[in-house]
């Protein structure tokens, strides 16, 4: 019998596995212009600068369609990335709606070389394309549309309150310049406002100025009250209402504060531990240690500044001794026992923390910030461990 390789005609040929080329697009987004660069998965060279288009969503969509046609792929086959900034999430949502895999990266966590002294839109778009190819970037969560709408309404109410405070300061400065001092117990009470409305100025121009300042205060307060009513009305249809109500069962949180915190922080299930949430809002101390030396400074103040501000404001309520008053009892109605237990444990822990820091001689600001840092951990526990009814997290929601 002759040995050989035999007849191979009946053996099927195995097709060669062809790796599909992926194109990574980097966008440097500004108000009026968007710079576009691209690279592919097989190339390891510098990204190629494609050009510049207008800043509108339609202009970017047309430019990406044209680029995809030149590259011989579909628009949905492109991987797109741009830095989160003042232009918001509108462009990202539009690209995702078109089926494009679009992600946003954090500009504050983008690595930059110490010798990098030249910064242009072209270089930024090329750098973003290369980071997207290597995966060396920190993605930013794209909030749902309703969550962002609630957040905008909460921020509008905060701006209205700033207008109220500014108008009151201007009126007090005007009265002080004219030697007028209120001798009552406190300002802006009904008796104080009655005193201001009945005040007689020495001249007609000063009387007109006084009426202008009082009218500005009344208008700003009415605008703030109207925005608060709209927030409460919007809360009834918001999917995060159970979480907001549970947070209102804690000391220092009413409708405005609770809705502001939840709309700013969003779904806290994307944080695996409360320490990461503390770092996200910038309430952890900064540190510069090298060798045997260890040096800590003030808090990092990174992340969401609006959330950090409202948390510090709410933390001031825990300076007082733990107590469940009438208002808090009403807010705790129909809440599960584990939420009430967490609320009481929060009061005892944070007040004890504040008292200990004060006894050690720490300044008031440091004590309040330390309390706010631990308050973040309780809010994280409220969402993660109290079995509240919360919306299902989407894939974008779980991005850290």
């Amino acid at each position: 019998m002759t040995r050989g390789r035999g007849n191979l005609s009946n053996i099927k040929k195995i097709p060669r596995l062809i790796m599909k080329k992926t194109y990574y697009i980097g966008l440097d987004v500004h108000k009026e212009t968007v710079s576009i660069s691209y690279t592919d998965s097989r190339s390891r060279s510098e990204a190629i600068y494609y050009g510049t288009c207008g800043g509108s969503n339609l202009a970017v969509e047309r430019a990406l369609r044209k680029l995809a046609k030149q590259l011989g792929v579909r628009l949905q086959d492109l991987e797109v990335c741009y830095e989160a900034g003042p232009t918001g999430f509108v462009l990202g949502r539009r690209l995702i709606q078109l089926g494009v895999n679009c992600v946003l990266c954090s500009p504050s966590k983008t690595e930059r070389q110490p010798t990098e002294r030249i910064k242009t839109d072209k270089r930024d778009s090329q750098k973003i394309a290369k980071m997207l190819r290597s995966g060396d970037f920190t993605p930013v969560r794209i909030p749902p549309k309703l969550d962002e709408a609630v957040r905008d309404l909460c921020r509008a109410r905060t701006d209205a309150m700033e207008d109220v405070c500014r108008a009151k300061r201007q009126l007090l400065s005007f009265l002080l310049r004219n030697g007028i001092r209120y001798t009552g117990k406190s300002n802006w009470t009904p008796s104080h406002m009655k005193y201001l409305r009945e005040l007689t100025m020495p001249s007609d121009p000063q009387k007109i100025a006084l009426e202008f300042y009082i009218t500005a205060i009344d208008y700003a307060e009415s605008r703030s009250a109207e925005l608060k009513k709209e927030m409460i009305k919007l809360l009834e249809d918001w999917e995060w209402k159970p979480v907001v109500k549970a947070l209102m069962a804690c000391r220092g949180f009413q409708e405005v504060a609770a809705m502001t915190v939840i709309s700013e922080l969003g779904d806290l299930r994307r944080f695996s531990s409360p320490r990461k949430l503390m770092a996200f809002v910038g309430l952890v101390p900064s540190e510069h240690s090298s060798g045997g030396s260890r040096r800590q400074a003030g808090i990092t103040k990174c992340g969401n500044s609006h959330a950090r501000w409202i948390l510090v404001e709410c933390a001031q309520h825990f300076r007082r001794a733990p107590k469940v008053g009438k208002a808090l009892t009403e807010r705790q109605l129909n809440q599960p026992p584990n939420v009430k237990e967490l609320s009481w444990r929060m009061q005892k822990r944070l007040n004890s923390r504040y008292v200990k820091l004060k006894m050690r001689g720490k300044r008031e600001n440091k004590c309040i910030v330390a309390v706010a840092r631990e308050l973040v951990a309780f809010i994280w526990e409220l969402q993660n461990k109290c079995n509240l009814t919360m919306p299902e997290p989407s894939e974008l929601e779980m991005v850290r």
Side-chain angles (χ1 to χ4, degrees):
M1 181 177 180
T2 306
R3 295 183 180 180
R5 298 179 60 184
N7 186 9
L8 302 179
S9 58
N10 295 328
I11 299 178
K12 296 182 180 179
K13 294 183 179 180
I14 300 176
R16 179 180 295 179
L17 182 62
I18 300 177
M19 183 180 296
K20 185 178 179 181
K21 185 184 292 187
T22 304
Y23 289 95
Y24 301 96
I25 314 299
L27 306 179
D28 188 49
V29 181
H30 295 277
K31 178 181 178 181
E32 301 294 341
T33 61
V34 176
S35 300
I36 305 174
S37 296
Y38 69 92
T39 184
D40 59 78
S41 55
R42 300 181 185 178
S43 173
R44 288 294 178 261
S45 59
E46 292 291 331
I48 302 172
Y49 180 65
Y50 177 68
T52 304
C53 65
S56 64
N57 290 354
L58 182 59
V60 176
E61 180 183 344
R62 288 175 177 174
L64 291 180
R65 288 185 184 277
K66 184 178 179 180
L67 175 59
K69 185 177 180 180
Q70 293 181 5
L71 297 176
V73 297
R74 300 182 306 162
L75 178 65
Q76 292 76 13
D77 295 333
L78 300 179
E79 303 276 345
V80 181
C81 178
Y82 69 94
E83 290 181 334
T87 55
F89 307 101
V90 181
L91 177 59
R93 288 199 184 98
R94 176 56 182 166
L95 294 178
I96 293 175
Q97 184 182 7
L98 294 173
V100 180
N101 186 11
C102 177
V103 294
L104 275 69
C105 62
S106 174
S108 61
K109 296 182 179 180
T110 301
E111 294 185 0
R112 289 179 173 83
Q113 297 294 333
T115 57
E116 188 177 344
R117 302 290 182 178
I118 302 176
K119 183 181 183 300
T120 62
D121 295 346
K122 175 182 176 180
R123 293 195 176 199
D124 287 345
S125 62
Q126 291 175 330
K127 185 175 183 179
I128 294 173
K130 291 174 61 179
M131 288 193 312
L132 180 61
R133 181 182 62 189
S134 62
D136 190 18
F137 67 95
T138 302
V140 173
R141 165 183 173 266
I142 300 178
K145 289 184 178 180
L146 183 57
D147 290 12
E148 190 175 15
V150 174
R151 186 186 67 180
D152 291 338
L153 187 60
C154 294
R155 291 186 178 183
R157 198 265 176 183
T158 302
D159 295 338
M161 286 303 301
E162 290 179 356
D163 293 339
V164 172
C165 297
R166 187 181 301 109
K168 290 180 177 180
R169 288 195 301 267
Q170 291 172 350
L171 176 56
L172 291 179
S173 300
F174 167 74
L175 297 177
L176 183 61
R177 289 196 304 268
N178 290 274
I180 300 175
R181 295 173 176 82
Y182 179 61
T183 57
K185 290 185 178 180
S186 59
N187 294 334
W188 315 120
T189 58
S191 58
H192 181 222
M193 294 303 299
K194 181 180 179 181
Y195 164 81
L196 293 175
R197 299 181 193 280
E198 297 176 353
L199 192 61
T200 302
M201 301 302 296
S203 64
D204 290 340
Q206 291 174 329
K207 183 178 180 180
I208 295 174
L210 176 63
E211 292 296 330
F212 169 79
Y213 286 122
I214 295 177
T215 304
I217 293 175
D218 292 340
Y219 174 72
E221 288 181 340
S222 63
R223 194 162 61 109
S224 175
E226 185 66 25
L227 287 171
K228 183 178 179 180
K229 291 181 182 179
E230 294 296 330
M231 289 176 59
I232 297 175
K233 186 187 302 183
L234 186 60
L235 177 61
E236 297 301 321
D237 300 328
W238 195 23
E239 56 186 357
W240 288 100
K241 178 182 176 181
V243 182
V244 173
K245 289 295 184 181
L247 187 57
M248 288 172 57
C250 302
R251 189 177 206 172
F253 290 93
Q254 295 187 21
E255 289 90 352
V256 174
M259 290 185 67
T260 302
V261 169
I262 299 302
S263 63
E264 293 290 342
L265 298 181
D267 193 348
L268 302 185
R269 289 172 291 184
R270 67 186 192 274
F271 297 98
S272 59
S273 68
R275 292 182 180 273
K276 293 184 178 180
L277 179 57
M278 295 174 188
F280 175 76
V281 295
L283 287 173
V284 296
S286 58
E287 182 176 351
H288 184 77
S289 301
S290 179
S293 64
R294 184 171 183 265
R295 178 177 174 270
Q296 285 186 315
I299 58 175
T300 59
K301 294 184 179 180
C302 64
N304 195 317
S305 60
H306 199 72
R308 182 170 59 253
W309 162 77
I310 193 65
L311 288 169
V312 172
E313 290 293 322
C314 295
Q316 300 188 37
H317 292 268
F318 297 95
R319 294 178 296 181
R320 301 189 299 268
K323 178 183 177 182
V324 180
K326 179 181 178 181
L328 183 58
T329 302
E330 293 177 354
R331 299 202 301 269
Q332 288 183 350
L333 292 176
N334 302 322
Q335 289 297 325
N338 55 355
V339 173
K340 297 179 182 179
E341 186 272 334
L342 184 141
S343 174
W344 180 245
R345 181 158 46 88
M346 179 192 299
Q347 286 199 53
K348 294 195 299 182
R349 167 63 185 178
L350 298 184
N351 178 259
S352 174
R353 177 67 170 164
Y354 173 80
V355 172
K356 289 180 180 179
L357 291 174
K358 290 294 289 184
M359 292 179 64
R360 288 168 53 187
K362 298 295 183 179
R363 291 185 298 177
E364 181 72 11
N365 291 345
K366 285 189 174 182
C367 297
I368 295 299
V369 170
V371 171
R373 181 165 56 248
E374 296 199 14
L375 174 61
V376 170
F378 281 102
I379 297 176
W380 179 88
E381 182 182 354
L382 181 70
Q383 279 202 21
N384 284 270
K385 298 184 179 181
C386 286
N387 299 323
L388 301 175
T389 304
M390 294 193 297
E392 290 295 330
S394 62
E395 184 178 354
L396 292 176
E397 287 284 324
M398 298 306 295
V399 172
R400 281 199 289 270

